[in-house]
Amino acid sequence: MSIPSCLTARRGAPLSGLVRAPGDKSMSHRALILGAMATGVTDIEGLLEGDDVLATARAVEAFGAAVERLGEGRWRVTGRGGFQQPAGVIDCGNAGTGVRLLMGAAAGYPVTTTFDGDASLRKRPMKRVTGPLTDMGARFGWKVEPDRLPVEIQGGALTAIDFIQPVASAQVKSAILLAGLNADGVTTVTEPEPSRDHTERMLRAFGAEVGVLPMGAGWRVSLKGGPRLTGTRVAVPGDPSSAAFPLAAGLIVPGSEVTVEGVMLNPLRTGLFETWREMGADLTVSNRRMSGGEELGDVTARNSALTGVVVPTDRAASMIDEYPILAATAAFATGATVMRGIGEMRVKESDRIALMAAGLIACGVTVEEEPEGFTVTGGPVRGGATVTTHGDHRIAMSHLVLGLAANKAVTVDESGMIATSFPGFVELMRGLGADIAASG
């Protein structure tokens, strides 16, 4: 179902119910890409069928894999043991994760590929990935502007590198490791603190040997080139980044109790949950179980009196996508919530620090913006604003959740892009009792 351009959220009755989060976006991208790089069949259950992931599915098909949708969330990828020369431009739409991982994978094969994306993706920096890939031997030609899509990549004949990340980034690490699969030697990536490790876990499931050595507060990940990847079965758990939205609504809407089942509980993805608990959130986990090497659980959020906290800067890597919804919940907390060391937010789909600050201020919230973060001081949230999203799905969803507890309705100027990560968001929230409706 298509989402109307403008949506308005209003405060109403308490929210309640049990829902399932869509499949994890990070794992969905990786399952498709590794399935295409492998030999044989990879069956995927729980794949997120959002626009970003579907763009990656089209991309791996263009690289020669057979891709088949078997049913809702059930996909089959038959790999040919590597990427073939694509016939045209690989259009990744709005998928920042997809294009960066695909560039890393394509760099390892003797193919020439042009990558492009939509207007939003064309604004996002790419040299953080193309820099180390160039050091490995890949060649890049910028078509319009340096560091921005579209870009042509000539791959093959790579040499392993030992790369030290100045700031932990799972996208950069993953692109290097995917290229390292076809590089001569042992590729290593050292991170100042651990970023999400889905690539390492999934590489092992496909047959690669990945080493992890603790290094101070971070770690060093190593991969020897030349492993034979074999298709496997991948069960994609619920995305904690998506689960955050109904759970946040449960925390801030008076009288609410919301449960999201099947949420991934990988410790490198649960920084938001830890932060909420430190703020006093009544957040509980039941029915813990393992699936596909990842721990899952059913997470319940009950309306809570929240208190502002200082979020540890070393937690940023585990929750970088969740700061917008954290800021929205912090607007209802007593005192200040300080979020620093998150400059990465400025180069996401939008400048998320600036947009969240502007939207919250328009709704009557006190916000102090800094170059690498911001502080939100909670109190009564007036609402009554139309928020500019600049095509960013997390900005839109965060402000719609805010509107469910604000004194006056909150409207977002654009909402169709929510389907990039959370198809069915509006229907799911309405099923819990949320008053979210199309507006003029």
Side-chain angles (χ1 to χ4, degrees):
M1 180 181 295
S2 62
I3 301 177
S5 179
C6 291
L7 288 174
T8 297
R10 296 176 176 83
R11 185 168 180 165
L15 308 182
S16 65
L18 171 70
V19 294
R20 176 173 289 274
D24 185 75
K25 186 163 72 164
S26 295
M27 288 188 64
S28 294
H29 283 301
R30 288 159 172 80
L32 290 168
I33 293 170
L34 285 172
M37 298 177 76
T39 299
V41 173
T42 294
D43 283 321
I44 307 169
E45 297 180 5
L47 187 88
L48 172 65
E49 295 181 339
D51 293 346
D52 282 6
V53 174
L54 295 179
T56 295
R58 291 190 294 270
V60 298
E61 189 170 38
F63 279 118
V67 180
E68 181 182 6
R69 184 180 188 271
L70 305 178
E72 185 175 353
R74 295 174 53 241
W75 290 65
R76 174 170 293 163
V77 179
T78 304
R80 299 172 59 184
F83 283 9
Q84 311 297 315
Q85 177 65 47
V89 173
I90 301 297
D91 184 352
C92 292
N94 189 240
T97 297
V99 71
R100 290 179 177 130
L101 269 58
L102 285 163
M103 285 196 291
Y109 299 103
V111 298
T112 299
T113 309
T114 296
F115 288 97
D116 203 354
D118 65 10
S120 174
L121 192 58
R122 283 188 170 198
K123 295 176 182 177
R124 300 181 65 178
M126 294 294 151
K127 280 191 176 178
R128 61 184 58 196
V129 168
T130 63
L133 294 179
T134 298
D135 293 341
M136 298 177 78
R139 290 168 291 171
F140 292 87
W142 304 103
K143 297 290 190 178
V144 177
E145 179 184 356
D147 196 25
R148 298 292 190 271
L149 297 179
V151 64
E152 181 184 87
I153 174 174
Q154 297 179 44
L158 300 187
T159 302
I161 59 171
D162 188 348
F163 186 73
I164 299 176
Q165 289 211 72
V167 178
S169 167
Q171 290 183 3
V172 175
K173 174 181 63 178
S174 299
I176 295 170
L177 293 176
L178 291 174
L181 287 168
N182 292 297
D184 183 21
V186 177
T187 296
T188 65
V189 180
T190 302
E191 296 188 300
E193 60 266 337
S195 67
R196 59 184 63 177
D197 62 349
H198 304 309
T199 299
E200 295 95 308
R201 290 172 182 251
M202 204 174 290
L203 279 167
R204 294 188 188 104
F206 279 86
E209 292 186 14
V210 182
V212 178
L213 180 67
M215 299 283 288
W219 58 18
R220 187 182 190 207
V221 182
S222 61
L223 169 74
K224 185 177 181 180
R228 176 182 172 84
L229 302 183
T230 303
T232 187
R233 183 176 296 275
V234 179
V236 179
D239 192 332
S241 298
S242 297
F245 296 102
L247 292 172
L251 292 177
I252 64 175
V253 176
S256 296
E257 179 174 331
V258 171
T259 298
V260 183
E261 62 178 357
V263 180
M264 182 202 300
L265 298 176
N266 183 310
L268 296 174
R269 296 289 302 281
T270 55
L272 175 64
F273 298 163
E274 294 175 49
T275 302
W276 274 342
R277 289 193 181 99
E278 292 167 1
M279 297 173 73
D282 184 350
L283 196 72
T284 58
V285 179
S286 60
N287 191 23
R288 291 178 181 265
R289 65 265 195 199
M290 297 297 295
S291 176
E294 297 280 1
E295 184 179 12
L296 282 66
D298 302 337
V299 184
T300 299
R302 300 173 184 87
N303 178 227
S304 305
L306 303 177
T307 302
V309 298
V310 177
V311 184
T313 57
D314 62 4
R315 196 173 286 170
S318 72
M319 55 179 291
I320 194 65
D321 288 332
E322 285 79 70
Y323 279 94
I325 190 60
L326 172 61
T329 54
F332 297 90
T334 299
T337 297
V338 182
M339 296 162 276
R340 294 193 174 114
I342 53 174
E344 176 76 9
M345 283 182 66
R346 293 199 183 275
V347 291
K348 288 289 187 176
E349 282 85 336
S350 67
D351 182 339
R352 286 179 171 166
I353 293 175
L355 285 184
M356 280 308 301
L360 291 175
I361 290 169
C363 291
V365 181
T366 300
V367 182
E368 297 178 27
E369 186 178 341
E370 303 173 11
E372 297 289 320
F374 57 152
T375 297
V376 177
T377 301
V381 179
R382 184 189 67 237
T386 296
V387 175
T388 300
T389 62
H390 282 234
D392 192 314
H393 52 122
R394 298 197 191 278
I395 300 298
M397 288 186 284
S398 296
H399 283 97
L400 288 171
V401 169
L402 182 90
L404 297 176
N407 292 330
K408 296 181 180 180
V410 175
T411 298
V412 296
D413 68 340
E414 193 177 355
S415 59
M417 71 296 190
I418 289 174
T420 63
S421 67
F422 201 150
F425 167 77
V426 174
E427 291 76 13
L428 180 146
M429 295 300 295
R430 285 174 177 163
L432 294 170
D435 185 351
I436 301 177
S439 54

